[in-house]
């Protein structure tokens, strides 16, 4: 999802390019068919030839080229798809206003809820867009001897709490568990 600033810059750039192309095309058409009297039949570019032979020209061209590369890279980075979601709109939003919640603290609260379970040493979370769906992705590290049924109950509780806070049924919860290094293997019974 692109930001409003990126969209505004895109529209402004498109407008400038369109105006330049239309004006250039109209000027070329007018000049070629001699629709305006008094226009010269040829263009004198001797000043440009003199300027390009000066010692400062390669440096100026390099600086302009570097600036154009940096602007182009910035423009490309602004158009990279962002998977993370910064805000979620809550039910009850209408034309009178939007109810929004910051996604990062919400995912962090769900991760904290998960981290309270026995055997969970740490947890973190974020909300992102994956394949067109909103996903609350929680990552937790568990001890090798953790009770996996208790961890599963804690993940279900965290997902229910998250769904209850949001009041939306289109947010999926994905929990990834990682066993902390330095122990044996966990048994599932």
């Amino acid at each position: 999802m692109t930001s409003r600033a990126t969209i505004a810059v895109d529209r402004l750039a498109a407008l400038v390019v369109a105006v330049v192309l239309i004006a250039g095309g109209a000027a070329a058409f007018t000049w070629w068919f001699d629709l305006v009297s008094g226009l010269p039949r040829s263009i004198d570019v001797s000043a440009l030839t003199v300027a390009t032979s000066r010692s400062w020209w390669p440096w100026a061209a390099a600086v302009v080229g570097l600036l154009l590369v940096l602007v182009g890279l910035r423009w490309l980075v602004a158009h990279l798809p962002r998977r993370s979601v910064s805000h979620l709109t809550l039910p009850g939003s209408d034309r009178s206003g939007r109810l929004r919640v910051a996604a990062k603290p919400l995912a962090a609260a769900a991760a904290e809820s998960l981290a309270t379970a026995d055997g969970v040493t740490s947890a973190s979370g974020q909300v992102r867009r994956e394949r067109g769906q909103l996903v609350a992705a929680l990552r937790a590290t568990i001890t090798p001897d953790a009770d996996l049924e208790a961890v599963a109950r804690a993940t279900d509780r965290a997902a229910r709490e998250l769904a209850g806070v949001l009041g939306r049924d289109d947010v999926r919860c994905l929990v990834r568990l990682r066993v902390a290094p330095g122990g044996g293997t966990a048994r599932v019974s």
Side-chain angles (χ1 to χ4, degrees), residues 24-114:
F29 184 83
T30 302
W31 180 70
W32 182 258
F33 289 106
D34 200 19
L35 297 177
V36 176
S37 60
L39 288 178
R41 290 304 304 156
S42 62
I43 299 173
D44 181 20
V45 292
S46 61
L48 184 62
T49 307
V50 170
T52 57
S53 65
R54 304 279 180 167
S55 62
W56 54 265
W57 179 258
W59 293 103
V63 168
V64 169
L66 180 63
L67 288 174
L68 288 174
V69 166
L70 292 175
V71 167
L73 287 174
R74 171 64 179 98
W75 198 8
L76 287 175
V77 167
H79 287 83
L80 287 175
R82 290 187 177 87
R83 289 180 46 181
S84 63
V85 176
S86 60
H87 289 85
L88 294 171
T89 303
L90 298 174
S93 298
D94 58 17
R95 294 202 290 190
S96 64
R98 280 191 189 171
L99 301 173
R100 296 181 63 160
V101 63
K104 189 172 183 176
L106 184 69
E112 280 182 35
S113 173
L114 178 57

Side-chain angles (χ1 to χ4, degrees), residues 145-156:
D145 60 345
D147 180 4
L148 293 180
E149 288 181 15
V151 172
R153 284 192 299 274
T155 59
D156 288 342

Side-chain angles (χ1 to χ4, degrees), residues 14-25:
L15 177 68
V16 168
V17 168
V19 167
V20 167
L21 289 175
I22 291 169

